[in-house]
Amino acid sequence: MKKIARTHPPAPSLYEGRGELTLLAAGRVTKRGTSVAGWVLGGLLALPAHAQPVSFSKEIAPIIQRRCAGCHGERTNLGEWRAHTFAALLKPGASGAAMVVPGKPEASELYKRIVHKDPDLRMPKSDDALNTQQVAAVKRWITEGAKFDGGNKAALLKILLGPRVHPAAPARYRTPVPVLALAFVPGGKQIAVGGYNEITLWDTETGKLVRRIGGLPQRIQSLQASKDGKTLLVGGGIPGEYGEVALVELATGKRRVLDTFGDLVLTARFNTDETRVAAGGAEASVRCYEAKNGERLWSMSVHADWVTSVSFSGDGKYVASASRDHTVKVYEADGTLYTTYGGHNRQIGQYKGQDPVYGVCFTGNTALSVGGGKWVQQWEPEKAKAESGDAGDMEERFFKQGHAQFLAHNCEKEIYQLCLKEGQVFTLASDGIVKQLELASQKEIRSFGQSGDFAFSLDTEMTAQKLAVGSFDGTVRVFELRNGQQKLAFAARP
């Protein structure tokens, strides 16, 4: 149980030269006949027990989130009471009793329940009671008026808690960790791989571990290296509980958190000049930041399911987000929703529809998207907007007008990753097979690997002519781009 830090009052000030005190020695007598010891003690007793009011976001929210939200959270409401936001925890439950009465803890159902003597009525039920410090903090917070010091009363409490201090990575891995994210360091001599509360760096010639960067989220879902090779953009978190997007210095391992989410961050990407970052994930929102200072520029929640991929257009005019809800959303630079592409949501001739979308990227202002089905769809946001009336045949009209083109991946499996480099399109299907397609001719150049374990992560390094794939079994495979031959395979675990 994490204890709440106690705030002690400042020492009293004793002023001389006013004729009130002749000596500041314990037991001596003042001109008014009062001992200094008695004067000091009286002054201390008159001071408030706590100089600073209780902070809801720093002291109370962690208690509510960790001890109450399991039964009264975003997805559960035992007793018809939820405590996942400040606004929710103030609302009465099934009994109709006021949960919090500002200034009156004894009249507040929240306080009465945490101190109840009956174990069947005391909360948390079937669990350890709150400790003395926690009970005192809740009581004092209500007594002081139950004030809120966060920015948004409707924000999830787990977001109010801010960035977490992550536990250390295990010294050794007893079992392989699925490689959900990897990224070449520019030059291709090293590759960064997502581990358990860490990133590991590996030599791409020998497969030897170079170093470990710890203090990171439990799961690493997204990695991108900056062009100068000094920084990694990292997205990850804990499923259903916490998400984080951060910048990590490769040389020092220093982490700078841009933002936290209420669920896993699944994707994070720089724009072309690396001045901005877009991120999204399992809570279905997309956010955009200034990379230099971490300022959040905008946030949009227009998807109905996980956001699986984000991408900036080359000129920075658009941001696109792919989702399991079968759509790609396109936003203007200020976050305004520009259009929705629904080409993955229908059967168009021979092209299979009704599929989740797992990857999106831009070549100039033309977008490419992949997901379920065996096609890479190529389309233009401007033409998609022009064709996106409310008619039910929008996607079919879009295709007939030639505004959507389909590049064959020729695999029945879902396509999890999409990578575009120098006019070459690389697609990774769930069976571990990578296809290299030429965008201009729309023809397949070659394939990499063979059907095997599930694969989730893909990156290429064009200078070194290397391609890497990360699999569920913890294996990283490195291929030569020139001939498609596997050069190296290693288990990415210390």
Side-chain angles (χ1 to χ4, degrees):
M1 185 69 62
K2 185 176 180 179
K3 295 183 178 180
I4 303 298
R6 192 179 182 89
T7 303
H8 300 287
S13 299
L14 301 180
Y15 295 89
E16 300 179 67
R18 296 184 180 179
E20 301 294 327
L21 298 175
T22 55
L23 294 171
L24 297 180
R28 299 299 177 91
V29 179
T30 69
K31 287 184 177 180
R32 294 185 178 180
T34 304
S35 72
V36 173
W39 183 89
V40 172
L41 180 60
L44 285 173
L45 291 176
L47 287 172
H50 295 269
Q52 298 295 327
V54 176
S55 166
F56 176 82
S57 59
K58 294 179 181 179
E59 298 179 66
I60 305 304
I63 299 172
I64 301 297
Q65 175 62 30
R66 293 165 188 164
R67 302 306 311 277
C68 304
C71 296
H72 307 281
E74 190 175 5
R75 297 179 176 87
T76 55
N77 65 335
L78 297 184
E80 298 181 18
W81 179 62
R82 297 182 189 271
H84 61 300
T85 68
F86 179 82
L89 73 86
L90 295 184
K91 296 178 180 179
S95 68
M99 296 304 296
V100 177
V101 180
K104 299 179 180 180
E106 285 76 12
S108 302
E109 190 70 10
L110 173 63
Y111 178 73
K112 290 194 291 184
R113 285 302 186 101
I114 65 176
V115 298
H116 210 290
K117 301 300 182 182
D118 187 339
D120 291 330
L121 297 176
R122 192 262 301 156
M123 296 296 171
K125 193 173 182 179
S126 304
D127 198 356
D128 294 335
L130 270 62
N131 62 36
T132 303
Q133 292 90 341
Q134 292 172 325
V135 171
V138 172
K139 182 177 183 180
R140 188 159 63 87
W141 171 67
I142 298 175
T143 301
E144 293 172 350
K147 297 178 180 178
F148 179 68
D149 58 355
N152 180 4
K153 293 182 180 180
L156 296 174
L157 296 190
K158 53 189 174 184
I159 294 178
L160 288 179
L161 303 184
R164 294 189 179 183
V165 177
H166 301 294
R172 295 173 63 88
Y173 289 13
R174 292 181 296 175
T175 58
V177 174
V179 180
L180 304 176
L182 52 73
F184 281 106
V185 177
K189 293 183 179 180
Q190 294 182 9
I191 190 167
V193 179
Y196 193 87
N197 284 119
E198 69 175 342
I199 292 168
T200 53
L201 288 167
W202 303 82
D203 188 299
T204 58
E205 294 294 326
T206 65
K208 299 294 185 182
L209 179 64
V210 177
R211 58 186 292 240
R212 306 170 70 176
I213 301 174
L216 297 175
Q218 182 187 100
R219 285 192 186 182
I220 307 297
Q221 298 279 160
S222 179
L223 284 173
Q224 185 183 11
S226 62
K227 294 175 182 177
D228 61 8
K230 295 181 179 180
T231 306
L232 284 174
L233 175 59
V234 183
I238 302 173
E241 182 178 332
Y242 175 78
E244 176 181 299
V245 57
L247 295 170
V248 177
E249 293 181 4
L250 267 173
T252 64
K254 183 179 179 181
R255 154 181 164 255
R256 177 164 65 91
V257 177
L258 298 180
D259 206 355
T260 61
F261 290 64
D263 208 333
L264 270 174
V265 171
L266 299 173
T267 176
R269 284 292 179 267
F270 288 115
N271 66 345
T272 303
D273 62 9
E274 299 182 347
T275 58
R276 292 190 174 188
V277 168
E283 71 171 27
S285 68
V286 179
R287 303 179 190 175
C288 186
Y289 311 90
E290 286 284 0
K292 185 176 181 179
N293 57 22
E295 178 189 358
R296 187 194 295 182
L297 301 175
W298 53 266
S299 177
M300 289 289 282
S301 299
V302 291
H303 281 294
D305 207 332
W306 293 1
V307 174
T308 54
S309 179
V310 293
S311 180
F312 288 89
S313 62
D315 60 5
K317 185 177 180 180
Y318 301 119
V319 178
S321 59
S323 173
R324 292 199 313 183
D325 67 6
H326 304 177
T327 69
V328 178
K329 304 289 185 180
V330 181
Y331 315 87
E332 296 180 34
D334 63 359
T336 303
L337 181 63
Y338 179 73
T339 191
T340 298
Y341 176 67
H344 294 266
N345 200 32
R346 291 194 56 174
Q347 182 83 26
I348 304 176
Q350 62 178 312
Y351 306 109
K352 183 181 177 182
Q354 294 292 327
D355 290 312
V357 192
Y358 294 121
V360 64
C361 67
F362 280 94
T363 170
N365 282 330
T366 298
L368 302 173
S369 52
V370 297
K374 53 185 178 181
W375 308 98
V376 179
Q377 299 193 24
Q378 181 178 351
W379 47 278
E380 298 176 43
E382 288 87 353
K383 293 180 179 178
K385 183 177 179 63
E387 290 291 328
S388 62
D390 56 7
D393 64 344
M394 184 270 287
E395 286 86 6
E396 187 172 353
R397 289 188 294 108
F398 193 79
F399 172 63
K400 287 180 178 179
Q401 292 292 328
H403 298 165
Q405 301 180 50
F406 295 79
L407 287 70
H409 179 86
N410 292 321
C411 178
E412 297 297 334
K413 302 293 184 180
E414 292 183 309
I415 304 173
Y416 282 159
Q417 292 291 338
L418 171 67
C419 182
L420 176 64
K421 297 285 181 72
E422 299 179 5
Q424 306 294 307
V425 181
F426 300 89
T427 57
L428 171 65
S430 59
D431 59 3
I433 296 177
V434 177
K435 298 285 187 177
Q436 181 182 0
L437 310 171
E438 186 177 57
L439 192 58
S441 66
Q442 299 189 359
K443 293 182 179 179
E444 180 179 322
I445 298 174
R446 64 176 55 88
S447 63
F448 301 79
Q450 56 187 0
S451 182
D453 200 1
F454 272 93
F456 297 110
S457 49
L458 167 72
D459 197 21
T460 60
E461 217 298 327
M462 302 305 285
T463 301
Q465 287 290 289
K466 293 177 180 177
L467 177 146
V469 175
S471 301
F472 179 81
D473 63 2
T475 299
V476 173
R477 293 176 289 156
V478 180
F479 297 87
E480 293 278 5
L481 277 179
R482 296 179 182 89
N483 53 28
Q485 296 299 307
Q486 182 172 304
K487 178 180 181 180
L488 178 69
F490 61 90
R493 68 183 188 207

